[in-house]
Amino acid sequence: MSRPTALIVGGATDRSTLAQALPDWTVRTTDSLDVLDDTTTVVVLRSGVRLGADQLRRLPGLRHVIRAGSGLDGLDLPELASRGITVHRNPVPAADSVAQWALAAILSLARRIPLGQSALAAGAHLKAGCLTRPLAEARLAIWGAGAIGQACEGALAAHVGEIAYAARPSIPADIRQLPAAALTEWADIHLVALPGTPENQGAFGPAFLTAARRRCPMLVCVGRLATLDVPACLEALDDGDLAGLALDPVDPEDMRLLPRVGTPRNLIATPHIGAQRTDVRDRLDTWVAATARSLADRHEQVRP
């Protein structure tokens, strides 16, 4: 009987750590799921990987997906569920690191540092254009009250005047929240920490920007870029309807959405580095190995 296989996609976890946890398994690495393998029982992946019907046809023995992080974009959840495949994820290790990025981004946008730097690179001196109000007077709206949203609140509470979450039925009643329509009239900063689920796709686009422009807010995305209509947000930034824009979850295919040259902007765009800290990767590697070991034990119990 062939040994079960754990497949690591795109360097999602440390191979040696996983192999030590699964001594009786084959542990393989790949850069793509376009492979045919009927021994693969577990796939370990991070963001930027598509796993839907096409890939699943090539992995008939797949039973578990371990997501080394929090996002579910790229995963066809209904298709996985229909095949009895369980998804395991862990947003907690990355939350503090992402919140640290959010703090750095908001501090930079609030002082208009990206605008000043990009202007200097273009040969312009925009000192007067970098006059700003104190961040301590700003109202912060957080869209998404999961581990990352709440970690961002903890990191930013000492630096802003008020914080409120966008109201959702799943948010505990003791957390301050306001209806979404009220937040556009209330907030000076909108921090988006939402998954790229169908109901969130493009939610921060023309309608949101029109409703929010009276306050000329900053918009910061630490969730999934698909929640934003990026061209509309860039247009609003250039038109003066946004005071600043910060985008971290930029995957390679998203680069086409970003401006290469042109007018200096109060814009931060980074290549999905929010959770790129060594301690986060170490904790996720440990969690992946422990999760896989637990799944292997269950697999052994049900084998004939």
Side-chain angles (χ1 to χ4, degrees), residues 4-7 13 18 21-25 27 39-45 61-68 84-90 284-303:
T5 297
L7 190 62
T13 195
L18 185 58
L22 301 174
D24 300 322
W25 286 46
V27 178
T39 67
T40 294
T41 302
V42 174
V43 163
V44 184
L45 49 78
L62 185 63
R63 293 294 173 265
H64 299 277
V65 175
I66 301 178
R67 170 67 170 92
I85 298 169
T86 305
V87 177
H88 310 262
R89 63 191 184 117
N90 186 359
L284 283 172
D285 287 345
T286 300
W287 172 78
V288 167
T291 301
R293 180 65 261 169
S294 175
L295 297 176
D297 290 342
R298 288 158 53 186
H299 181 76
E300 287 299 317
Q301 293 171 7
V302 300
R303 286 179 65 182

Side-chain angles (χ1 to χ4, degrees), residues 12 17 30 41 54 111 133-134 136 142 169 173 196 200 219 231 246 259 264:
T17 301
T30 181
T41 302
D54 289 344
R111 295 304 308 271
R133 294 171 50 208
I142 301 178
N200 295 329
L219 180 59

Side-chain angles (χ1 to χ4, degrees), residues 25-289:
W25 286 46
T26 299
V27 178
R28 294 177 45 232
T29 61
T30 181
D31 290 327
S32 169
L33 280 176
D34 295 328
V35 296
L36 178 62
D37 188 342
D38 59 5
T39 67
T40 294
T41 302
V42 174
V43 163
V44 184
L45 49 78
R46 297 188 76 193
S47 62
V49 177
R50 172 68 182 165
L51 182 56
D54 289 344
Q55 294 77 24
L56 291 170
R57 277 193 289 270
R58 300 181 178 95
L59 301 168
L62 185 63
R63 293 294 173 265
H64 299 277
V65 175
I66 301 178
R67 170 67 170 92
S70 61
L72 295 172
D73 51 308
L75 302 182
D76 187 334
L77 297 180
E79 185 67 25
L80 291 168
S82 73
R83 295 171 183 256
I85 298 169
T86 305
V87 177
H88 310 262
R89 63 191 184 117
N90 186 359
V92 175
D96 173 70
S97 179
V98 174
Q100 185 184 63
W101 181 93
L103 173 61
I106 287 173
L107 289 172
S108 295
L109 291 182
R111 295 304 308 271
R112 301 182 73 75
I113 291 171
L115 174 64
Q117 190 277 332
S118 62
L120 287 175
H125 192 281
L126 294 186
K127 179 179 179 179
C130 294
L131 180 67
T132 62
R133 294 171 50 208
L135 183 59
E137 297 178 0
R139 296 169 172 174
L140 169 65
I142 301 178
W143 300 74
I148 289 173
Q150 293 191 48
C152 288
E153 178 189 12
L156 290 158
H159 301 278
V160 300
E162 298 181 67
I163 297 178
Y165 287 85
R168 292 201 170 196
S170 58
I171 298 178
D174 60 343
I175 293 179
R176 185 187 183 191
Q177 49 193 294
L178 293 171
L183 281 181
T184 56
E185 293 288 328
W186 179 84
D188 303 297
I189 308 167
H190 294 272
L191 188 144
V192 182
L194 294 171
T197 50
E199 66 269 21
N200 295 329
Q201 296 274 327
F204 297 84
F208 166 83
L209 295 165
T210 298
R213 66 185 176 188
R214 187 181 70 82
R215 297 197 71 88
C216 189
M218 294 181 279
L219 180 59
V220 177
C221 182
V222 297
R224 286 294 175 262
L225 205 62
T227 59
L228 272 61
D229 181 334
V230 175
C233 291
L234 289 168
E235 183 178 351
L237 184 64
D238 287 343
D239 289 345
D241 293 336
L242 285 179
L245 178 64
L247 312 170
D248 176 54
V250 178
D251 289 320
E253 61 270 21
D254 300 321
M255 292 175 63
R256 61 184 173 78
L257 300 173
L258 303 178
R260 299 297 178 90
V261 295
T263 304
R265 296 172 172 89
N266 200 29
L267 169 68
I268 296 171
T270 52
H272 214 158
I273 63 172
Q276 286 293 89
R277 273 189 356 205
T278 55
D279 62 318
V280 174
R281 293 303 301 269
D282 288 345
R283 290 174 64 193
L284 283 172
D285 287 345
T286 300
W287 172 78
V288 167

